[in-house]
Amino acid sequence: MQPFRIDIAQEQIDDLHRRLEGVRWPDELPGTGWERGVPLSYLQELTDAWRTSFDWRATERQLNGFPQFRTEIDGATVHFLHVRSPEPDAIPLVLTHGWPGSVAEFIDVIGPLTDPRRHGRDPAGAFHLVIPSIPGFGFSTPLRDTGWNARRVAAAWATLMARLGYERYGAQGGDAGSVISLELGRLAPEHVLGVHVNMLLTFPSGDPAELADLSESDAGRLQRLAYFDSELSGYMKLQSTRPQTLAYALTDSPVGQLAWIVEKFREWTDSAKVPEDAVSRERILANVSIYWFTGTAGSSAQHYYEGARDLRDAASGVRPAALTVPVGVAVFPQDILVPIRRLADRDIPTIAHWSEFERGGHFAALEQPELLIDDIRKFFRSVR
């Protein structure tokens, strides 16, 4: 394991600014808004902010304030933050981001989780945090072979935790991080104390009986699944079928990369009009900058390609392998998909903790860090 420090060359930053200054803008139909994609006026204003007021070096300093490392696992370079708690009884916990996320998602939760005493919380709920970048994402690059689906990433995490000397640990994640964390629980139940997720996919099996007498709330969640498939899943269908083709556009155009990601911060969050209603502009641009500077638009999309078969199986009613470790679920109402409890219990009979919140969306660590922190602490307090 080699210590790692983020240090983007000034030439790369200057190149980004030149590209942002010389954008070739498309036209836009009058009277349209977010329903057709990111509005032109909004993206022009955000692009100008990225070029003139966003401070990448401040993001570097924040991330470099945490111990970082890179190591080779199963032929892949794995970048990770490793932040140990001062509390001797802290629980080791691996936090996994998703797409279009990064390790920067967790900046605001690291302190309260590792050093709760300093943040006015009970020190009994402390964690040693391991926060890896999924292979092909961010500073875990480049990918050298195919096959990096959720199970293979989970196996890499098991190896990583063993190398760090952690015999028993928890796992937590949202989006792809949820799938990876659940796979880690299946793969290494003798080592995993429990799995906490802030996104859970629940698909009907096709048996009408399991959808009989759905509550109004659950019926709405089922309709949300249909709406996602018809209106919001274009990104997923493209990334899971032709990631290489997409890579050329997003790797060459920072504004293309910005639009591709910022749309998700509008559609998947608890935002009223613009993404900044839910997540600060600084955090959004920090996240997009990581994808841009590392050139990982294409390699991160490969994760969808590798997982496409598993997702099709789940959507067609193929049930996942059994989980024997306790599972905690935090449900945020404006997530992409909101799970239905009876379907969740069908797939995961070991659900031991279920929280439903009145606000928040897909990027829980960015949108509602306090709610997420408290829920993680509550769940792992019950399983340690």
Side-chain angles (χ1 to χ4, degrees):
M1 294 188 183
Q2 299 297 322
F4 179 78
R5 183 176 178 83
I6 301 169
D7 186 16
I8 298 301
Q10 186 59 44
E11 290 81 2
Q12 287 185 261
I13 299 173
D14 294 341
D15 175 68
L16 170 62
H17 291 169
R18 282 192 296 271
R19 289 170 182 262
L20 294 176
E21 192 172 15
V23 179
R24 183 185 181 204
W25 294 104
D27 59 8
E28 181 180 54
L29 290 173
T32 59
W34 285 92
E35 74 278 359
R36 292 177 184 250
V38 183
L40 178 61
S41 60
Y42 173 78
L43 198 64
Q44 286 176 327
E45 195 272 330
L46 188 60
T47 296
D48 184 66
W50 195 11
R51 181 177 65 86
T52 62
S53 60
F54 173 70
D55 184 359
W56 166 254
R57 294 301 185 198
T59 297
E60 275 191 343
R61 288 191 294 272
Q62 279 189 309
L63 289 172
N64 286 334
F66 305 112
Q68 297 175 77
F69 303 86
R70 288 211 295 197
T71 189
E72 296 293 311
I73 301 176
D74 191 14
T77 297
V78 175
H79 161 260
F80 63 99
L81 280 62
H82 185 201
V83 188
R84 289 188 58 84
S85 171
E87 302 299 334
D89 296 326
I91 298 172
L93 179 66
V94 55
L95 294 177
T96 308
H97 64 85
W99 183 92
S102 67
V103 295
E105 282 184 51
F106 300 112
I107 288 173
D108 295 327
V109 305
I110 292 174
L113 287 175
T114 57
D115 196 357
R117 188 190 304 269
R118 184 178 178 184
H119 290 81
R121 290 177 166 86
D122 182 357
F127 298 88
H128 302 305
L129 295 182
V130 178
I131 310 175
S133 298
I134 298 170
F137 288 70
F139 302 99
S140 285
T141 51
L143 286 178
R144 299 184 182 92
D145 59 0
T146 60
W148 279 98
N149 62 8
R151 281 184 294 278
R152 188 172 176 186
V153 177
W157 283 191
T159 298
L160 176 61
M161 297 303 278
R163 286 186 186 176
L164 292 171
Y166 294 130
E167 177 66 23
R168 293 281 283 167
Y169 50 86
Q172 198 284 329
D175 193 84
S178 166
V179 182
I180 292 165
S181 297
L182 292 169
E183 287 296 331
L184 182 55
R186 293 186 178 97
L187 177 71
E190 70 279 14
H191 297 293
V192 177
L193 287 165
V195 176
H196 182 279
V197 297
N198 55 277
M199 187 191 85
L200 184 66
L201 301 176
T202 55
F203 297 103
S205 67
D207 179 2
E210 73 178 10
L211 300 179
D213 303 319
L214 280 181
S215 68
E216 183 177 349
S217 173
D218 282 347
R221 294 176 183 191
L222 198 59
Q223 291 174 352
R224 192 180 184 94
L225 175 61
Y227 178 72
F228 172 79
D229 185 59
S230 64
E231 292 289 332
L232 303 181
S233 63
Y235 80 96
M236 182 178 69
K237 292 172 181 175
L238 184 54
Q239 294 194 157
S240 63
T241 57
R242 297 295 184 272
Q244 187 62 36
T245 303
L246 175 67
Y248 299 114
L250 301 190
T251 305
D252 188 58
S253 169
V255 169
Q257 179 70 93
L258 177 63
W260 191 247
I261 289 179
V262 80
E263 180 183 79
K264 308 313 168 197
F265 279 88
R266 168 61 163 71
E267 293 181 339
W268 299 353
T269 61
D270 195 358
S271 60
K273 294 182 179 180
V274 294
E276 292 92 331
D277 291 337
V279 178
S280 75
R281 176 170 290 186
E282 289 298 305
R283 287 283 187 263
I284 293 172
L285 292 176
N287 191 63
V288 175
S289 295
I290 289 174
Y291 279 82
W292 175 257
F293 288 131
T294 59
T296 48
S299 58
S300 63
Q302 296 290 344
H303 189 78
Y304 279 81
Y305 188 94
E306 302 293 356
R309 179 177 178 179
D310 294 333
L311 190 60
R312 286 195 298 269
D313 286 348
S316 63
V318 177
R319 304 275 69 85
L323 255 170
T324 59
V325 303
V327 173
V329 182
V331 180
F332 291 89
Q334 298 305 317
D335 204 344
I336 317 172
L337 300 172
V338 183
I340 297 172
R341 179 66 192 264
R342 72 168 69 171
L343 302 184
D345 286 333
R346 176 204 64 196
D347 294 340
I348 307 175
T350 57
I351 292 176
H353 172 91
W354 185 280
S355 299
E356 301 221 5
F357 299 101
E358 295 182 353
R359 60 188 186 277
H362 188 66
F363 302 95
L366 290 168
E367 295 182 66
Q368 298 295 335
E370 295 298 321
L371 294 180
L372 182 64
I373 290 164
D374 289 343
D375 206 64
I376 291 171
R377 284 164 54 87
K378 184 177 180 180
F379 170 67
F380 282 103
R381 187 163 55 242
S382 71
V383 301
R384 67 175 307 158

